[in-house]
Amino acid sequence: HVNTEIASALRGMPIADQATIDRRMIEVDGTPDKSRLGANATVAVSMAALHAAAASSGEPLWRYLTHASHAPIIPMPMIQIFGGGAHAGFRIDIQDFLIIPVGASTFAEAMSMTATVYQAAGSIMRDRGRLHGVADEGGWWPAFESNAEALDTLVEAIERAEFRPGIDVAMAIDVAASQLRRGAKYHLEGADLESEQLIELLIGWCSRYPIISIEDPLAEDDHEGMRSITAKLGGRIQIIGDDYLVTSADRINAASSPGACNAVLIKPNQVGTITETLAAVTAARAAGWSAIVSARSGETEDVTIAHLAVGWGVGQLKVGSITRSERTAKWNEVLRIEEALGPSAKLGGVRR
Ligand code: PGA
Ligand code: ZN
């Protein structure tokens, strides 16, 4: 599709006119969800046009993007330590157990802190015979008996790395609850829970562990559940919609007034063009929400999202773990951008 239909539709168009290029691909695709040409095809072309425009301006992509929007912000990383759910054979239900090194004052320090916690988690698991291997985003793949064991081990790993849980290093989870849906209930740790029971479980975890962010706490069709948890926890922690919002400005607008979520995960290939990805960021800002640029579980070494996160000034970036080259390529790119910015670099964070 890139070399045939898309190429003939776009040939001769001015490269810097991103919105027109993206609109043309949406027209040529003709479906509401890019299902004919495929969002991976359209997003690749959209990103290529963006890179070409930045290159012809003679600037690095992140700086080219800052002209059109906000001042550059180096994103606070959200990094997977344990992988579970569909990414790790459902050994534990929750998909991501993550850390946010909130005490870091630079991105380089955040990476160093993360590496220390990651290694500490690995050595605790080895000591206890709990190590299975590495899950598909590079986090440890645990042989834990329960989600709480994973949360307890994460706190221990932060402490073994000589950081204070919640002060130097906070925790986050991605429940990816659509994956746990069984009819109107949620299947978790061998039980079938009502929406409100799952919410109570998550509230309990938030009171026992230094969790400052929960992604997809309820399933993508559970609007009432999303409203309920945001009403109960949204005043103190970040409630992120990923599967729930799929980087769609329309869905963000629809979720904003009932107060379902207070943050959105931004994944360019969920929506299929740079223009629509930016529209989702803009909708999040208009709603007073946070935005977190994110990689997918399936990735390449492409580093465009590192530039989007910095150039659009969203403040946070999620890329899986700190191992595997498709992950480290992106973290290393942010390190290089931080070096290029020098002392003027500003590190983002989680609003609370
Ligand atoms: P996906 O998951 O790329 O497999 O959708 C990543 C995430 O949930 O953040
Ligand atoms: Zn997710």
Side-chain angles (χ1 to χ4, degrees):
H1 289 147
V2 171
N3 289 328
T4 55
E5 266 195 82
I6 297 176
S8 52
L10 299 187
R11 198 164 284 126
M13 289 175 73
I15 208 72
D17 195 352
Q18 186 78 41
T20 309
I21 288 173
D22 290 343
R23 200 174 325 115
R24 186 86 191 98
M25 284 195 287
I26 294 166
E27 283 161 15
V28 172
D29 172 74
T31 70
D33 58 0
K34 321 262 180 336
S35 53
R36 205 177 65 76
L37 296 175
N40 279 322
T42 58
V43 84
V45 173
S46 189
M47 285 176 4
L50 181 64
H51 279 280
S56 72
S57 80
E59 290 190 305
L61 181 52
W62 63 268
R63 197 187 290 280
Y64 175 77
L65 290 166
T66 56
H67 298 318
S69 58
H70 290 233
I73 297 177
I74 297 295
M76 173 62 72
M78 184 188 290
I79 304 172
Q80 187 196 64
I81 303 295
F82 302 127
H87 293 174
F90 281 103
R91 189 69 184 77
I92 43 177
D93 310 289
I94 303 302
Q95 182 177 286
D96 289 329
F97 295 86
L98 310 115
I99 59 166
I100 305 176
V102 290
S105 48
T106 64
F107 188 81
E109 188 185 0
M111 283 290 111
S112 155
M113 291 166 76
T114 301
T116 315
V117 175
Y118 183 85
Q119 294 306 335
S123 65
I124 293 171
M125 294 175 71
R126 252 186 312 272
D127 293 352
R128 302 208 182 130
R130 289 302 207 194
L131 204 53
H132 237 128
V134 169
D136 71 356
E137 292 190 43
W140 301 112
W141 177 12
F144 294 138
E145 291 305 326
S146 65
N147 298 295
E149 188 186 353
L151 292 165
D152 285 328
T153 308
L154 194 47
V155 173
E156 280 178 62
I158 294 167
E159 285 169 344
R160 190 181 285 203
E162 299 187 353
F163 297 118
R164 295 163 296 174
I167 297 170
D168 304 315
V169 178
M171 287 163 47
I173 53 175
D174 178 2
V175 181
S178 297
Q179 302 277 348
L180 309 174
R181 201 74 156 143
R182 298 285 183 281
K185 299 199 173 182
Y186 293 91
H187 191 75
L188 201 78
E189 297 189 339
D192 285 314
L193 305 183
E194 301 286 352
S195 194
E196 280 303 319
Q197 292 175 301
L198 175 54
I199 292 171
E200 286 311 311
L201 179 73
L202 296 173
I203 290 174
W205 287 350
C206 288
S207 61
R208 282 199 301 285
Y209 303 101
I211 294 172
I212 62 167
S213 177
I214 305 184
E215 181 177 329
D216 286 335
L218 286 308
E220 61 204 34
D221 58 352
D222 191 350
H223 302 286
E224 190 42 51
M226 290 299 291
R227 275 195 292 276
S228 171
I229 194 163
T230 306
K232 289 173 174 145
L233 285 178
R236 42 194 179 100
I237 72 167
Q238 182 166 265
I239 307 284
I240 309 173
D242 168 19
D243 300 337
Y244 185 59
L245 299 167
V246 291
T247 316
S248 154
D250 289 345
R251 289 201 189 208
I252 294 164
N253 291 334
S256 100
S257 63
C261 298
N262 60 22
V264 58
L265 212 67
I266 299 290
K267 292 168 162 173
N269 85 334
Q270 267 179 342
V271 67
T273 62
I274 291 294
T275 303
E276 291 161 289
T277 307
L278 181 57
V281 171
T282 306
R285 285 203 169 111
W289 288 10
S290 299
I292 302 95
V293 169
S294 170
R296 303 303 308 259
S297 52
E299 266 294 332
T300 69
E301 289 184 354
D302 184 89
V303 297
T304 308
I305 61 165
H307 289 262
L308 298 181
V310 175
W312 287 343
V314 300
Q316 296 178 68
L317 179 63
K318 181 188 180 201
V319 176
S321 199
I322 195 167
T323 63
R324 299 175 49 134
S325 65
E326 80 279 8
R327 314 284 148 193
T328 53
K330 295 165 184 62
W331 299 131
N332 287 337
E333 189 72 359
V334 181
L335 283 170
R336 282 188 283 267
I337 298 171
E338 184 175 67
E339 277 170 21
L341 273 166
S344 71
K346 276 197 188 57
L347 183 66
V350 182
R351 263 193 276 144
R352 273 184 282 170

